[in-house]
Amino acid sequence: MDQLLNDFSPGLFFMQAIILLILILLMRKFAWKPILDSLNDREEGIQEALDAAANAKKELQNLKSDNERIFNEARTERDNMLKEARELKETMISEAKEEAQAEAQKIVVKAQETIASEKKAAIADLKNQVANISVDIAEKVVRRELTDKDNQLKLVESMLGDVTLN
């Protein structure tokens, strides 16, 4: 350390200090300012990117909530449509059942009327046939019986005996 103090030259020290100051000023003017400006620009770019990311995150959350709301509305609308479709189906089925029952009732009534009219026609036809057969039989019996006078008297007496007065 003694040797350093012995070799110390104030002129050299002063010259080196001035060169250092000039170098610092030049560095400040030409190097530090562009370096600091680029650092500030980079910092601002990073901040803008962070802000954009935050905004994108908010927009994403808004879109998610909108999508969820739309999904819920669509689900509700679908449920309502299904409910209406079920109600319409049940209404149509009940109306079809009522129409079928009414039609069946009409068919039954018509069939009963047809049966009744055919029954009446069959009874009338049967009565006509029975009457015709009875007349034919009576005619044959009367011819046979009336050929003889004794038989005529017996027939009249038996008919009178069969007839009862009420």
Side-chain angles (χ1 to χ4, degrees):
M1 188 108 190
D2 282 334
Q3 189 172 355
L4 276 175
L5 287 176
N6 287 338
D7 288 338
F8 179 72
S9 158
L12 182 62
F13 177 75
F14 185 66
M15 243 348 208
Q16 286 180 349
I18 291 175
I19 290 174
L20 182 64
L21 286 176
I22 291 173
L23 185 62
I24 289 175
L25 288 176
L26 285 175
M27 289 283 276
R28 185 169 185 232
K29 181 165 179 136
F30 293 109
W32 289 113
K33 188 171 184 179
I35 291 173
L36 289 177
D37 287 343
S38 67
L39 286 176
N40 287 336
D41 289 344
R42 185 168 182 199
E43 185 179 340
E44 288 174 7
I46 291 171
Q47 188 60 43
E48 287 175 3
L50 289 174
D51 292 342
N55 287 338
K57 188 175 181 181
K58 286 180 186 177
E59 283 185 37
L60 182 62
Q61 288 175 347
N62 289 339
L63 288 175
K64 278 185 180 180
S65 65
D66 286 346
N67 286 344
E68 190 171 321
R69 179 185 52 82
I70 290 170
F71 180 72
N72 288 336
E73 287 175 2
R75 181 182 290 147
T76 303
E77 186 174 338
R78 181 202 65 190
D79 291 343
N80 289 338
M81 289 173 68
L82 288 174
K83 182 180 176 185
E84 288 175 9
R86 280 189 212 108
E87 290 173 357
L88 181 62
K89 177 188 82 167
E90 290 173 3
T91 303
M92 290 174 71
I93 289 173
S94 65
E95 287 176 359
K97 282 182 181 178
E98 289 173 4
E99 287 180 18
Q101 287 176 348
E103 190 65 29
Q105 188 65 27
K106 286 180 185 177
I107 291 171
V108 167
V109 168
K110 189 174 181 180
Q112 288 174 344
E113 290 174 355
T114 303
I115 290 170
S117 67
E118 287 182 11
K119 182 180 176 183
K120 287 179 184 178
I123 289 174
D125 187 39
L126 187 61
K127 282 183 182 180
N128 286 336
Q129 287 178 3
V130 168
N132 288 337
I133 292 173
S134 296
V135 168
D136 287 342
I137 291 174
E139 185 180 320
K140 288 178 184 177
V141 169
V142 169
R143 273 192 197 151
R144 198 176 121 230
E145 293 290 326
L146 292 181
T147 56
D148 189 11
K149 271 214 173 227
D150 289 333
N151 287 339
Q152 286 178 4
L153 287 174
K154 285 181 190 177
L155 180 64
V156 169
E157 287 176 9
S158 70
M159 285 186 173
L160 287 175
D162 288 341
V163 174
T164 59
L165 298 174
N166 289 337

